[in-house]
Amino acid sequence: MFNMAPLEPVDYLVLGHITEDMTPSGPRLGGTAVFSALTARALGLRVGLVTSASEATPLDALSGVYVVRSTSPHTTTFENIKTANGRIQILHRQASPIPGDVVPGPWRRAPIVHLGPIVHEVDPACASLFSEALLGVTPQGWMRTWDEDGRIWPQRWDSAETLGPQAGAVVISREDVGGDEEVIEALAHHTRVLVVTEGPAGCLLYWNGDRRRFHALEMAEVDTTGAGDIFAAAFFARLYATRDPWEAARFATRLASYSVARSGLDAIPNRKEIEESSMEVLH
């Protein structure tokens, strides 16, 4: 039933579906779990990933990440269509939900835990398994629904009032809430640290009743896929290391800026970008 990984403790644990993204050049591995796991690995962390996917989906791109895969008839598959009015996203196939009890015991003591659902596959109640961790949440998958044709639409995050206060930090995009400022303000009220990513504009960080903007670097945009997931992993890792949300936001914004200049998993930060971003934060 499961593809098991070594059960030594990990530094960064992420739960969420991997995806097969439909592109003109063929299927491409993606999803919050993939981009975040590879970013955390690039930052030098020992990373564990718990997911659900078809055994036919190759995981070679996740070399260096320890994976527990609950087998499913399908792998979650998306198609992203760019239009003059923004992105249209289509869900073609959906993998099975991820059972909370498949998380290995040693991994439940990970210092950083990232809940990264994309299609309601993670039960919010599983947060109780990680009471000692810095719990990072990217609730995108709880903030979307889809119609009979698979087209994705925003919806209310039903567990925000219960899970938000448990989280050390929550990262959303303005797209996740359809740009609704009232929803953002409500989430900020229920969350210790809330980050709203805004693409080329950077991000807004809400903490302790304060709000600050962090500007992205100007880059020649090639592909924005995964930029928000790279941001989230960098933010959670830096927040754990420094306990300073402002510094974490500066660091993550810079790393995510670099990512849009490359396509697919090539967007994962490299050593030079990580070092330069760290130096920028220190200055």
Side-chain angles (χ1 to χ4, degrees):
M1 181 179 179
F2 307 117
N3 291 343
M4 297 302 294
L7 298 185
E8 292 84 357
V10 295
D11 305 312
Y12 191 106
L13 171 65
V14 58
L15 281 71
H17 279 170
I18 64 171
T19 68
E20 287 185 343
D21 296 336
M22 298 174 61
T23 74
S25 58
R28 187 172 71 185
L29 197 68
T32 294
V34 168
F35 280 98
S36 296
L38 290 175
T39 298
R41 186 199 67 180
L43 292 171
L45 300 177
R46 184 180 176 90
V47 182
L49 166 59
V50 177
T51 193
S52 175
S54 166
E55 290 186 332
T57 298
L59 302 182
D60 298 356
L62 288 168
S63 175
V65 173
Y66 299 101
V67 180
V68 171
R69 169 166 50 179
S70 177
T71 55
S72 170
H74 305 287
T75 295
T76 294
T77 303
F78 284 107
E79 180 181 8
N80 294 309
I81 304 170
K82 290 185 177 181
T83 73
N85 297 318
R87 180 181 69 166
I88 294 175
Q89 194 168 42
I90 307 295
L91 174 64
H92 288 279
R93 286 180 291 277
Q94 183 180 4
S96 304
I98 300 171
D101 60 4
V102 305
V103 179
W107 290 12
R108 299 184 187 191
R109 298 188 293 275
I112 308 168
V113 175
H114 178 178
L115 302 186
I118 53 173
V119 284
H120 298 266
E121 72 274 20
V122 178
D123 184 349
C126 77
S128 63
L129 298 173
F130 313 109
S131 58
E132 298 181 5
L134 169 66
L135 183 65
V137 178
T138 51
Q140 179 186 63
W142 295 316
M143 302 176 74
R144 57 171 40 151
T145 187
W146 48 93
D147 59 26
E148 60 184 11
D149 296 320
R151 182 168 178 175
I152 297 292
W153 301 96
Q155 74 165 19
R156 181 178 181 274
W157 177 18
D158 290 334
S159 58
E161 294 182 11
T162 54
L163 185 55
Q166 298 179 55
V170 173
V171 176
I172 64 170
S173 73
R174 185 165 291 277
E175 182 184 32
D176 292 336
V177 297
D180 193 321
E181 290 291 344
E182 291 187 5
V183 173
I184 292 172
E185 292 295 334
L187 289 176
H189 177 72
H190 293 298
T191 307
R192 297 178 203 174
V193 177
L194 175 69
V195 185
V196 182
T197 61
E198 299 184 319
C203 77
L204 284 171
L205 173 61
Y206 297 77
W207 179 46
N208 273 349
D210 197 1
R211 184 183 79 164
R212 297 186 192 176
R213 176 176 293 282
F214 295 85
H215 294 281
L217 300 175
E218 292 187 10
M219 304 293 292
E221 185 177 299
V222 174
D223 185 1
T224 62
T225 304
D229 307 318
I230 290 169
F231 176 98
F235 182 83
F236 298 148
R238 195 71 173 183
L239 179 61
Y240 179 79
T242 66
R243 304 297 174 176
D244 183 342
W246 310 128
E247 181 174 327
R250 288 191 292 269
F251 177 75
T253 300
R254 189 176 181 102
L255 274 191
S257 297
Y258 288 127
S259 74
V260 303
R262 300 188 294 271
S263 181
L265 297 183
D266 289 336
I268 300 301
N270 57 47
R271 179 172 297 184
K272 179 182 178 183
E273 292 165 350
I274 292 169
E275 290 176 350
E276 289 182 353
S277 298
S278 298
M279 292 296 292
E280 175 69 19
V281 168
L282 290 175
H283 294 326

